[in-house]
Amino acid sequence: MGKVLVQAKIDDGIKNEAVEIFQTLGIDTASAIRMFFHSVVNEGGLPFDLKVKDPFYSPANMERLRKSIASLEAGKGSSHELVGTEDDKDLV
């Protein structure tokens, strides 16, 4: 079976983070890519689920959380007792 060169353009930061992880695992980038391709063939598709990110981590929500934290750190907050339902009583 012949071999071919596969090229792809990818963001520098993502590539560098991935290379660090590969190094930690003791593999090089080419081996990781070969492993990915083999996994795609073995799985008959992508070897992971494609999902929309949790909306909690959306940029708008993260900005609101940063503002809320800053407000609390500036002393502009108040405390209250936890309020829940009868189903939550075992969580407290």
Side-chain angles (χ1 to χ4, degrees):
M1 192 180 290
K3 297 198 181 216
V4 298
L5 176 66
V6 176
Q7 292 181 316
K9 291 189 181 251
I10 189 162
D11 178 77
D12 231 9
I14 295 292
K15 184 248 180 193
N16 292 335
E17 286 183 51
V19 168
E20 284 183 32
I21 294 169
F22 300 153
Q23 289 173 343
T24 301
L25 295 170
I27 60 175
D28 61 14
T29 303
S31 295
I33 293 169
R34 281 191 295 276
M35 292 166 76
F36 173 73
F37 274 66
H38 281 281
S39 294
V40 167
V41 171
N42 290 336
E43 295 285 327
L46 292 175
F48 47 81
D49 293 332
L50 292 178
K51 299 177 185 174
V52 175
K53 265 188 171 178
D54 184 340
F56 179 82
Y57 296 102
S58 71
N61 199 42
M62 298 284 54
E63 180 60 25
R64 181 175 178 151
L65 288 170
R66 280 191 285 279
K67 286 180 181 177
S68 296
I69 291 167
S71 177
L72 289 171
E73 289 174 342
K76 299 177 184 174
S78 61
S79 63
H80 60 84
E81 294 298 317
L82 291 177
V83 178
T85 66
E86 187 65 26
D87 296 333
D88 295 334
K89 68 181 178 185
D90 60 327
L91 299 175
V92 181

